[in-house]
């Protein structure tokens, strides 16, 4: 194992730095790009620590060996005196190398390099005399991680879709049948990162295809069009529930349901967003369970949940924009990009369902800092929060090999419920699953999702995490 003095402090420190940059909107405000940066950073630190651990841990390689070797050779060519290839022996170190390379120092340089590569305002971490070799190996691994995911930049960061993408604006909405049920702008902007679902999953290295085991089945494929879905009793039930409980002025929503709604929201700039809240839970549990006393295990835990959340973002956004026909479809009628409850309630006269009632002034509880109400600017099915939460819960369960670990979670949402002293209330959970299910349910209370969005997201998130587990589990 890693030397006893090497605790997980460096992982926690750089995770804090990453979350601070998210709060300062230094990365894209969409959940996918935020999750991507966190995954790149934590994978880089994990790969550094894994390589600089004696004896070599029995964990699988996350990066292509050739990519890593190329970056190490390039670093050595830039400064041959470092002798990096000689220090690294079969992904581990000889005894002399331990005195030259420190895993925690190298991991810090790796994290700094990844964050600054994704943040044009970032300030490079200065090299401390005597740490040249640690800096070189940390940055070499970081470059290998960035190279491994370089294709993301070409696909996923578009904010405005091609006109042929087929998503209507609010002003162009036609009440005729082709647009019944389809997502449209609600005043919060054009659809965010609509092609994010085309990215390759980290677990497989391949983009999602229809029929992949990670796609939800909560909405059966027989309900693969608005004409089939909107008249069903299931739609009526989901519609009426969110219309009642999710309205900004709901009298049916209980105080605790309102607390739950805002506790899990964290959608606003200035917060660490949904990925950040889950990273904070990871830290809370890791410190509580004593994991942070071990550098390698801390690095493995954070990389595990980071990769699970990155893949969760890809799967959720695939379902939002390309389910069920897939990204190759050029026919909008083959895709189900479901409208938000805000549009559904305001325009219920167009849905062809006699059991839904129109409320033209209906608004969700979800609110900006100034109190104005809004719906996130992307389709409803599935819930990103639910997918993230389920993937995180499953990854935590798989790491600790149990689900029933009690913990207390926190929130950064500015509208969160406060106690009599003005302190934001925390929430207690008996298990990771309990927290994930409440996370998904909260989106109904917030008025921005139907319950099947939460159920489908939970199903997809569990499947995503199951696929990721093989990257991190030790061999039997």
């Amino acid at each position: 194992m890693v030397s006893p003095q090497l605790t997980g402090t460096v992982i926690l420190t750089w995770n804090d730095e990453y979350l601070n940059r998210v709060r300062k909107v230094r990365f894209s405000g969409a959940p996918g790009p935020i999750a991507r940066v966190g995954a790149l950073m934590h994978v880089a630190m994990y790969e550094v620590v894994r390589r600089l651990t004696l004896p070599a841990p029995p964990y699988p390689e996350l990066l292509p060996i050739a990519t890593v070797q190329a970056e190490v050779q390039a670093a050595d060519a830039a400064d041959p005196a470092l002798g990096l290839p000689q220090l690294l022996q079969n992904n581990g170190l000889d005894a002399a190398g331990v005195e030259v390379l420190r895993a925690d120092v190298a991991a810090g340089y790796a994290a700094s390099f990844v964050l600054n590569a994704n943040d044009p305002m970032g300030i490079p971490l200065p090299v401390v005399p005597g740490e040249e070799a640690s800096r070189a190996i940390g940055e070499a691994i970081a470059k290998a991680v960035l190279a491994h995911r370089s294709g993301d930049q070409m696909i996923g960061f578009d904010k405005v879709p091609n006109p042929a993408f087929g998503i209507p604006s609010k002003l162009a909405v036609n009440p005729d049948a082709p647009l019944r049920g389809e997502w449209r702008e609600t005043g919060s902007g054009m659809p965010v990162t609509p092609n994010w679902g085309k990215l390759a999953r980290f677990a497989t290295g391949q983009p999602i295809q229809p029929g992949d085991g990670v796609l939800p089945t909560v909405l059966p494929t027989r309900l693969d069009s608005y004409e089939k879905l909107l008249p069903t009793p299931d739609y009526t039930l989901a519609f009426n529930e969110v219309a009642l409980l999710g309205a900004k002025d709901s009298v049916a929503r209980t105080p605790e349901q309102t607390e739950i709604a805002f506790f899990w929201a964290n959608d606003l700039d200035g917060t660490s967003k949904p990925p950040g809240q889950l990273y904070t839970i990871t830290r809370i549990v890791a410190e509580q369970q004593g994991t942070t006393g071990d550098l390698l295990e801390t690095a493995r835990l954070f990389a595990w949940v980071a990769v699970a959340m990155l893949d969760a973002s890809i799967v959720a956004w695939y379902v939002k924009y390309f389910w069920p026909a897939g990204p190759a479809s050029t026919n909008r009628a083959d895709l189900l990009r479901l409208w938000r409850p805000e549009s559904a309630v305001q325009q219920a006269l167009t849905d062809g369902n006699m059991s839904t009632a129109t409320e033209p002034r209906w608004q969700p509880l979800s609110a900006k800092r100034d109190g104005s109400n809004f719906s996130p600017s992307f389709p409803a099915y599935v819930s990103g929060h639910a997918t993230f939460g389920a993937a995180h819960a499953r990854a935590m369960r798989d790491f600790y090999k149990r689900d029933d670990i009690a913990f207390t979670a926190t929130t950064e949402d500015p509208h969160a419920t406060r106690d009599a002293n003005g302190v934001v209330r925390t929430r207690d959970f008996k298990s990771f699953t309990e927290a994930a299910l409440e996370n998904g349910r909260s989106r109904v209370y917030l008025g921005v999702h139907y319950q099947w969005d939460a159920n489908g997201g939970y199903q997809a998130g569990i499947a995503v995490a199951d696929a990721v587990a093989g990257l991190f589990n030790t061999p039997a």
Side-chain angles (χ1 to χ4, degrees):
M1 297 297 291
V2 179
S3 301
Q5 71 270 20
L6 298 186
T7 68
T9 300
V10 67
I11 309 298
L12 304 182
T13 297
W14 283 98
N15 189 70
D16 288 345
E17 173 62 19
Y18 153 68
L19 296 184
N20 285 333
R21 297 195 193 194
V22 173
R23 295 183 188 102
K24 295 175 182 177
V25 200
R26 301 281 276 275
F27 310 123
S28 171
I34 290 172
R36 175 183 179 273
V37 174
L40 295 179
M41 182 190 73
H42 281 298
V43 166
M45 289 196 290
Y46 165 76
E47 283 291 359
V48 167
V49 174
R50 189 184 68 81
R51 283 175 167 79
L52 305 189
T53 297
L54 283 175
Y59 300 146
E61 183 93 13
L62 294 185
L63 301 174
I65 293 176
T67 303
V68 176
Q69 289 176 337
E71 295 296 347
V72 171
Q73 292 288 352
D76 192 64
D79 189 352
L82 296 175
L84 295 181
Q86 286 69 46
L87 290 174
L88 293 171
Q89 303 288 336
N90 297 322
N91 293 325
L93 290 175
D94 56 24
V98 174
E99 299 179 3
V100 179
L101 294 172
R102 277 191 50 144
D104 54 349
V105 173
Y109 282 114
S112 173
F113 192 90
V114 169
L115 292 186
N116 289 323
N118 289 277
D119 179 3
M121 299 178 66
I123 301 175
L125 192 65
V127 181
V128 176
E131 295 181 354
E132 290 83 1
S134 294
R135 185 269 306 163
I137 191 61
E139 292 188 359
I141 298 298
K143 288 178 181 178
V145 174
L146 293 168
H148 184 56
R149 298 297 302 192
S150 60
D152 298 349
Q153 300 280 0
M154 301 296 294
I155 299 174
F157 285 80
D158 53 329
K159 294 184 178 180
V160 179
N162 182 291
F165 199 75
I167 291 184
S169 72
K170 183 177 182 180
L171 298 179
V173 165
N174 182 330
D176 292 338
L179 295 180
R180 291 175 183 170
E182 187 165 3
W183 184 89
R184 70 286 314 278
E185 287 185 52
T186 57
S188 55
M190 291 287 285
V192 173
T193 53
N195 285 314
W196 194 257
K198 294 181 180 180
L199 298 186
R201 288 159 55 204
F202 200 103
T204 64
Q206 299 294 325
I208 301 167
Q209 298 294 327
D212 275 2
V214 294
L215 299 179
T217 58
V218 170
L219 282 181
T221 53
R222 63 180 176 80
L223 301 178
D224 59 0
S225 71
Y226 306 119
E227 290 72 22
K228 296 176 184 177
L229 176 65
L230 300 185
T232 64
D234 285 346
Y235 178 78
T236 302
L237 178 64
F239 174 102
N240 287 335
E241 181 182 51
V242 69
L244 179 67
L245 296 179
K248 69 174 183 179
D249 54 358
S250 172
V251 296
R253 187 178 55 246
T254 67
E256 184 181 21
Q257 289 170 339
T258 299
E259 176 181 332
I260 291 170
F262 283 124
F263 181 87
W264 290 105
N266 292 293
D267 286 318
L268 303 181
D269 287 345
T271 71
S272 62
K273 301 296 182 77
Q277 186 175 30
L278 298 174
Y279 274 122
T280 300
I281 291 174
T282 305
R283 176 174 185 154
I284 290 170
V285 173
E287 292 180 328
Q288 171 185 305
Q289 297 296 311
T291 310
T292 53
D294 185 312
L295 173 57
L296 176 58
E297 285 299 278
T298 306
R300 185 168 75 112
L301 170 62
F302 276 82
W304 195 330
V305 300
V307 170
M309 288 196 286
L310 170 59
D311 279 7
S313 74
I314 295 170
V315 173
W317 257 246
Y318 179 98
V319 178
K320 284 179 181 294
Y321 289 104
F322 302 118
W323 188 88
S329 176
T330 58
N331 185 354
R332 192 173 74 200
D334 293 336
L335 304 172
L336 198 67
R337 297 161 174 165
L338 192 61
W339 58 9
R340 290 281 177 171
E342 179 177 349
S343 299
V345 178
Q346 291 179 4
Q347 301 180 46
L349 285 177
T350 72
D351 64 16
N353 186 328
M354 298 300 294
S355 299
T356 59
T358 299
E359 294 289 344
R361 297 182 180 180
W362 190 94
Q363 291 289 312
L365 175 64
S366 173
K368 300 177 182 177
R369 290 183 183 274
D370 63 5
S372 60
N373 305 96
F374 79 101
S375 298
S377 52
F378 31 83
Y381 187 76
V382 290
S383 164
H385 276 67
T387 312
F388 272 89
H392 174 266
R394 189 71 152 205
M396 295 290 286
R397 188 208 72 167
D398 288 346
F399 178 88
Y400 285 106
K401 296 181 172 55
R402 54 181 290 206
D403 183 50
D404 60 340
I405 292 179
F407 62 93
T408 299
T410 62
T411 181
E412 297 179 14
D413 194 275
H415 302 295
T417 302
R418 297 174 182 271
D419 63 18
N421 296 317
V423 178
V424 173
R425 289 170 57 94
T426 58
R427 291 190 64 78
D428 298 326
F429 300 96
K430 297 178 181 178
S431 69
F432 302 126
T433 296
E434 181 186 13
L437 291 172
E438 183 179 282
N439 189 349
R441 181 63 176 166
S442 74
R443 307 303 279 175
V444 176
Y445 301 147
L446 203 65
V448 296
H449 276 291
Y450 315 92
Q451 182 59 39
W452 60 34
D453 301 341
N455 296 344
Y458 183 85
Q459 182 186 21
I462 294 297
V464 165
D466 285 347
V468 168
L471 299 179
F472 294 95
N473 272 325
T474 55

